[in-house]
Amino acid sequence: MASVGSRRLTVLREFRPHGLAVEEADGQGVPGAPPPQDYDYFLFDPALAISPTPDPSDEASSSGADGDHELFIRDNQIIWSNGSRVHKRYVSPNTVIMACWCRMNAISDALLCVLQVDTLSLYNVTGEIVCIPLPYAVSSIWPLPFGLLLQKSTDGGHMVSSSSSLLNARDLNRPSKEYGLTYNIPFQANILETDNKANGAIISSHLILKHPFEEPQATYVEEKDKLTMMRDFDEKTIWTSDVIPLIASYHKGKFQHSVWQIDGASYQEAMNENTMLPVDISSHKCAFRKIWQGKCSHSAASKVFLATDIDGMPIISFLLHEQKILLAVRIQVDDATEEAFGDIKPHMSWNIPAFAAAPVVVTRPRVRVGVLPFTDILVLSSDNDLLLYSGKQCLCRYTLPNELGKGFFSNHELNSDISDTYSDLKITSIADAVEGRINVTCSNGLMLRCSLRKNPSSSLVSDCITAMAEGLQSCFYNQFISLFWGSDAAYLYSSSQVDSEWEFFSHEIKRVCTKYGQTLSTKSLTFPSKAWDFLINSKYHSQYCKRALSSSNSFLPVSYNTGKTVFNSFLQDEHSSDVSYNIRFMRETLETLHALYENLKLNILRKEDLGCLASLLCTVASSLGEHSYVDYYCRDFPLNLTESPSLVSSNSLTTPPSLFRWFEYCLRHGLNSAKLEDIPTLMRKQKVSAVSWSRKVLSFYSLLLGAERKGKNLSSGVYCEVASGSARNTEELTVLAMVAEKFGHRQLDLLPVGVSLVLRHALDKCRDSPPDDWPATAYVLVGREDLATAKMGTVRKENLLWNNDNLTSMSVPYMLHLQPVIIPTTAPDIPASEVLNSDDSDSVYKSVEDGMEHIFTSTTQLRFGHDLRLNEVRRLLCSARPVPIQTPTNPSVSDQDLHQQQLWNFAQRTTALPFGRGAFTLATTYTLLTEVLVFPKLVLAGRLPAQQNATVNLDLSSRSVSEFKSWAEFHNGVAAGLRLAPFQEKMLRTWIQYNRPSEPNFTHAGLLLAFGLHEHLRVLTVTDAYGYLSQEHDITTLGLLLGLAASHRGTMDPAISKMLYFHVPSRHPSSTPELELPTLLQSAAVMGIGLLYEGSAHALTMKILLGEIGRRSGGDNVLEREGYAVAAGSALGFVALGHGNRAFGFMDTFLDRLFEYIGTKEVYHEKYLNATSADDQSCNPGQMMDGAQINVDVTAPGAILALALIFLKAESEEIAARLNIPNTYFDLQYVRPDFVMLRIIARNLILWSRIQPTKGWVDSQIPETVRCGISNMSEGTIDSDELDAEALFQAYVNIVTGACIALGLKYAGSRNGDAQELLYAYTVYFLNEIKHIPVRTSNILPKGLLQYVDRGTLELCLHLIVLSLSLVMAGSGNLQTFRLLRYLRGRISAEGQVNYGLQMAVSLAIGFLFLGGGTHTFSTQNSAIAALLISLYPRLPTGPNDNRCHLQAFRHLYVIATEPRWIQTVDIDTELPVYCPLEVTVAETDYYDETNYCEVTPCLLPERSVTSHGGDLETRQIHSMGEYST
């Protein structure tokens, strides 16, 4: 040991666990008093808890001089601190036995695993917790690369008593859908698997937990290709690796240490498939395979750790305290299979005398060997010597510094003489090693935190050592390490500058040259013999040199004529073997460091390091007599290096490799003309990290110039990784290579300008139209962040994981992201928030939140910014401000009654506004998960503009305002919830709970429905739903049932199905006590069943719902039974949606029953009429019959809706014919006119393809009898006494209205011009019949409808047609339609004919016209048509609480039919939205040829089913940024 060099430790501070200081600050300890020793702690590198897992290929960043994190454990408390700052605190229910950090494959976050007596708690770094009850005794837990190993205690086979079972007692705070798991797994399919897992977990001595939401798995031992369960409780685990799958154990009975390799990756690979569970669980067992064993001690090793040999191979080190030796077992990892870890075999072992040992990172701190950092071994010998080993080679001895100083100590008993007696202190123990820092305990009990490397360390020295380790032969590298660490580096500690480490390194390299080279003194010339010599010796030259030295760095110059000693070539002594050996060593050193020199030349930030390295290389080349190398370096640094003429000529090596020369030849003459010798040998090696920077650049140039690929190897001699994706040319292939090598814009900025220009040009060529299958990082690299965002959205839907850090590294860090600035062209320059109400002069009301303040975005301003239509929509739909009341100037007593009457009329309108506001703001804003959702107010008060805006409140004495506002508050909650756009990933369950009020209310009930329509309620668990149901609040239950069904639409989820059927009393067994449920709840539950089973054609569900149409509801309000029948019929239509052409086994009787409900005259199946269903007999309520007849007035609407949806688009003339319209005057008198409308709608939905936007098609729907009767009555040829004129005209207006509704459904969201004109014409026609307006209408339509039809019917038909018109123009914001709607709203208010249902229709129509702020429209898929038909059911309520014929909550089902089809173009350079003409091609159909038309973005596109393609009409670099459902 006397030959090794000596280095001094750098003392950072006196060490004391910070947790003790935290306890003292909390008042748990007495400052200065010795704390109780019943605590534990461990230090760790902060990278261990980084989320997500740091990439092993990245250089390990130093955590600072003393950046260690600490976990302090006492009793049930864990304190995570960093320095003097407490990061987190964890409090466990029971005493903590053991804690460790762990990572699991399916989770990117690090988990803190805390073992307690009967519980294993897993803490996420974000604060989430999963508690796993343990029914068996676990003694210790150990981290693995893919999970957690649980070591049972000796009596671990015995069950631990627990109040809850392992399967049911988990605290699951969110579903694990993103990990490929689900909680809705049928129990019957997993009984055997669960039993096998549970039995194996009880019997096995070792368990492995791979996911927080899984059960721990039993482990198996692999022996002779057979698996047997691990049941040896004496095989105690003493160490595991969290990097490679290795475990060390000790068997106390056999006195034997063992090393195991564990195979646990197969199960996770299986789970990455799209299967819920592995098909064969036996094929995914975790197997232990023993790779080494040794009987070397009678007790377990006191410490086991992983280090690396001098060549980078892993070493498992066992510290045997009895023998005082360190047993090192070198293992060999065979990674030829390119798996995560290949075959691991023991290679060799050796012993090192040691009293204590620890793994440290000293010699090569920035180097990783695969996934392992290059780790050395620090050994404390029995003689109290602290020795540093690299493998089995001792490098140096560490000693304490001669004087610490008083600043390091905090204990008061340390006197001032400590520095005098410090030299006598000895190191007694070492512990808590993190990177290059360790705790040293001195003989006087003092514990110091010390660093083994002097800070700051030189990155150039680290790079040189790494390059020499990878480039030199092992014998030469061992010699270098001995020279570098074996010499005494005392002057390293005399300076705190970074250059001191480099000076020491260069000094050791030069010492080899000095030792084996011969010196030759050159004499100064007294008189100059040449003009050049005269110039060199002149005063001007000396001044020039001073200026040059002051303006640039000075590096150990090799002067031309300084009289100093220079190195002579020692090639003449090559016959000496020692000299020959060192010559080869120096030549390899020159080649290796020259490769690093070329690597540094490609990094503009390493210019200073490059000059230092050039000076050293010039010295080495001079000693070897390499003229070409010396000349090369002198040309690079002419001001700092001057070539010496005293070098003896010799046979030089070849011309120095030059990357710049290689680049020049490649660009001038092609890749084939470039010389391979210009690429240093080290760059052509595999898996070399020292020169990986230049290797990447070489590979990019090679691919760009057409190099051939053979796997990862290129024809240019280097290798390269290439990311997945298509490449049509070399530029795109280069981009994929840059992505795979993680070479982004930041790295391009570090290259010299000339080198990076070629690569930037390649990126720019790929920017316009990159392939569609590139990863998101590739799009960011070429400057297409828009495509990257779209790709990331697709990836999230596929439950794949992307590292956002990779995207950040590819982006430009200094790019200024400009925000769009919209300047109105024709509107006044007034903020949008101020243009609310032209007659609102009170500024108090302008700041009120109305739920629409967010609607003015760059998209809406670009599209509608040329006028004030959005401001007008906001004014019309605002319910948060008092409405103005026009009154005489001098109020009187009678005026107060007038005020109340006006307020009551306006209240009808205000309570209907949330319908339109919900549609208008649909999915237009996001909310922070830390903020409470704000609900706009419903203000029923008024204000008097003539009396300084005095407020007049609605009188509460005459009417029940609270009851009046209840359903309005419900719709207000729906509107507030609908404005939230779907979250990028999903809405958190905790946020929904956070917004839950302490007392149930109508607003939160509506919010639940809105969340369900957006499919956010999928995150709720069954226990959450039970929590809402247990409140026994009917409207909250209603919103929850509909919301859950909408969120799980079409899934037939059994848990949701049970919940819904529970609220249908007719399905309860006869023995069940009668349950009183409101009819509203029953209607919602029945509709929920239809949504849940949508499109399934589930036979039993269809039979149940068929019976519910004709069954009397058991609710408290018999007047709402028609609404219940409508809900049952709609649900039946949802279940069998579009399945009419597919014959059911009971189709004949099924249809007969439906037509019986409708009341048609067809002959039914006799066997059906005479039979009574056994199901009907078992049910409590009876049929809806008046005597022996079914009450078709109640059952007909639901049955018609069911037939319309079942045979939707079926083109079945047979079914359509049975839904005939009465053909005689007599029959017309016995059919309700509104049923005629429903039949017209149903017939046309069945004969979908025959709907045409022409007046002739509308006239074809009118029976000849009705048409002739209307015509004769209008002309006066027939007396009204001869016919029932009222029945005739009622049938006419309902037939026309039904046809218009069918037309609106057919062309919903299409903005079809013909349909718009036709519906607008019929709207004006009906409006003219009610009250003359100055708009011309067609003369061919009959006049004088008001004489025979009541105004209420005409108003209803008018507003239903207006709703149909808004369906066609949905999202377009059409001005003509909007003016019509504004007129209707103002006309009704001015005339005092305010009806809640009509106001609701107008409000919905305005919302549809500006659906989602103009970004959404309607689809015409089957489910969309069904949802729209139910939302537009042609029976409007008479008041806010009217649910007799149709549940008002169903009006919001239109959300199911919406889809985002807006497209916006954004300039990719400025990231500003711009206008752009767009050509859209509509595919050919049976009714029209392929059509092209032009749009200007932002705009709405047609449905994808009718769109052929689209293209830009401009050549500007733009990209589309929007949503387009597939």
Side-chain angles (χ1 to χ4, degrees), residues 984-1219:
Q984 291 184 351
E985 293 182 358
K986 66 179 182 182
M987 181 175 288
L988 295 181
R989 163 182 170 269
T990 52
W991 187 80
I992 298 178
Q993 298 292 328
Y994 177 58
N995 282 276
R996 179 177 175 177
S998 57
E999 294 294 333
N1001 55 51
F1002 283 77
T1003 304
H1004 190 72
L1007 185 65
L1008 289 176
L1009 175 58
F1011 286 166
L1013 293 173
H1014 275 319
E1015 298 187 359
H1016 291 326
L1017 294 190
R1018 285 177 176 266
V1019 299
L1020 291 186
T1021 63
V1022 177
T1023 55
D1024 297 330
Y1026 175 77
Y1028 279 109
L1029 297 177
S1030 63
Q1031 295 178 340
E1032 298 183 0
H1033 188 253
D1034 293 339
I1035 306 302
T1036 299
T1037 303
L1038 184 148
L1040 179 69
L1041 293 180
L1042 275 180
L1044 286 174
S1047 288
H1048 296 81
R1049 191 162 51 95
T1051 63
M1052 297 190 296
D1053 186 278
I1056 308 299
S1057 179
K1058 291 178 182 178
M1059 189 183 306
L1060 294 171
Y1061 274 117
F1062 177 78
H1063 290 84
V1064 183
S1066 62
R1067 300 309 306 165
H1068 294 174
S1070 57
S1071 60
T1072 305
E1074 186 176 355
L1075 184 64
E1076 293 292 338
L1077 288 175
T1079 308
L1080 297 181
L1081 272 185
Q1082 298 181 43
S1083 300
V1086 168
M1087 180 63 76
I1089 294 172
L1091 293 173
L1092 189 68
Y1093 287 84
E1094 179 189 321
S1096 65
H1098 192 267
L1100 179 59
T1101 305
M1102 292 174 61
K1103 290 182 179 179
I1104 293 173
L1105 294 176
L1106 179 63
E1108 294 301 316
I1109 297 176
R1111 181 169 289 114
R1112 185 189 302 274
S1113 66
D1116 52 354
N1117 191 350
V1118 295
L1119 298 178
E1120 296 172 347
R1121 61 182 184 175
E1122 181 180 341
Y1124 182 79
V1126 169
S1130 303
L1132 176 58
F1134 265 114
V1135 175
L1137 185 61
H1139 286 274
N1141 286 333
R1142 304 175 188 176
F1144 310 120
F1146 51 94
M1147 175 60 80
D1148 292 336
T1149 57
F1150 183 84
L1151 293 179
D1152 286 342
R1153 184 67 174 270
L1154 281 177
F1155 281 108
E1156 181 185 4
Y1157 287 150
I1158 294 174
T1160 55
K1161 298 180 179 180
E1162 284 79 357
V1163 179
Y1164 309 114
H1165 287 74
E1166 184 177 354
K1167 62 180 181 179
Y1168 173 74
L1169 294 178
N1170 295 332
T1172 303
S1173 173
D1175 178 66
D1176 294 342
Q1177 294 178 357
S1178 64
C1179 298
N1180 296 328
Q1183 294 290 336
M1184 288 185 185
M1185 294 187 179
D1186 293 336
Q1189 299 296 325
I1190 294 177
N1191 189 350
V1192 295
D1193 288 337
V1194 175
T1195 60
I1200 294 175
L1201 290 180
L1203 277 174
L1205 297 181
I1206 293 173
F1207 291 90
L1208 178 63
K1209 303 179 183 178
E1211 308 295 336
S1212 174
E1213 294 186 3
E1214 178 185 359
I1215 302 299
R1218 296 179 71 175
L1219 289 170

Side-chain angles (χ1 to χ4, degrees), residues 44 101 146 248 280 340 420 695 816 885 895 925 1014 1032 1257:
F44 62 94
W101 287 102
F146 46 80
D280 183 9
D420 299 332
R695 193 266 309 164
L816 296 177
I885 302 175
D895 291 334
T925 186
H1014 275 319
E1032 298 183 0
W1257 175 83

Side-chain angles (χ1 to χ4, degrees), residues 856-868:
F856 297 94
T857 63
S858 59
T859 302
T860 57
Q861 288 293 81
L862 263 185
R863 190 171 179 198
F864 303 119
H866 56 278
D867 55 32
L868 298 178

Side-chain angles (χ1 to χ4, degrees), residues 29 51 57 125 161 209 225 301 337 481 744 772 818 936 945 970 1003 1061 1115 1137 1182 1238 1289 1308 1326 1452 1522:
S51 175
S57 62
V125 292
S161 61
L209 181 67
D225 297 332
T337 58
I481 287 295
D772 298 333
L818 302 178
F970 176 85
T1003 304
Y1061 274 117
L1137 185 61
L1238 287 175
F1289 277 89
F1326 275 92
H1452 300 284

Side-chain angles (χ1 to χ4, degrees), residues 3-7 395 482-489 504 508 511:
S3 60
V4 298
S6 178
R7 299 198 176 192
L395 301 181
S482 300
L483 290 173
F484 184 69
W485 291 92
S487 59
D488 196 356
F504 175 68
E508 295 300 321
R511 197 157 60 92

Side-chain angles (χ1 to χ4, degrees), residues 233-289:
F233 289 89
D234 290 334
E235 195 75 47
K236 294 295 183 182
T237 304
I238 58 177
W239 169 83
T240 61
S241 172
D242 59 351
V243 181
I244 58 178
L246 289 179
I247 297 175
S249 64
Y250 179 76
H251 197 288
K252 62 182 180 180
K254 300 178 182 179
F255 305 107
Q256 175 178 288
H257 286 89
S258 303
V259 178
W260 310 77
Q261 179 184 359
I262 183 170
D263 180 15
S266 57
Y267 180 75
Q268 180 59 34
E269 292 170 2
M271 292 301 291
N272 283 339
E273 303 290 338
N274 290 328
T275 56
M276 282 188 182
L277 291 171
V279 178
D280 183 9
I281 200 67
S282 63
S283 62
H284 306 296
K285 296 176 179 177
C286 299
F288 287 9
R289 182 171 58 86

Side-chain angles (χ1 to χ4, degrees), residues 1274 1289 1325 1328-1329 1341-1349 1354:
S1274 300
F1289 277 89
Y1325 164 66
N1328 248 324
E1329 290 300 312
L1341 295 174
K1343 304 294 184 180
L1345 295 181
L1346 196 58
Q1347 300 176 14
Y1348 306 100
V1349 183
L1354 289 181

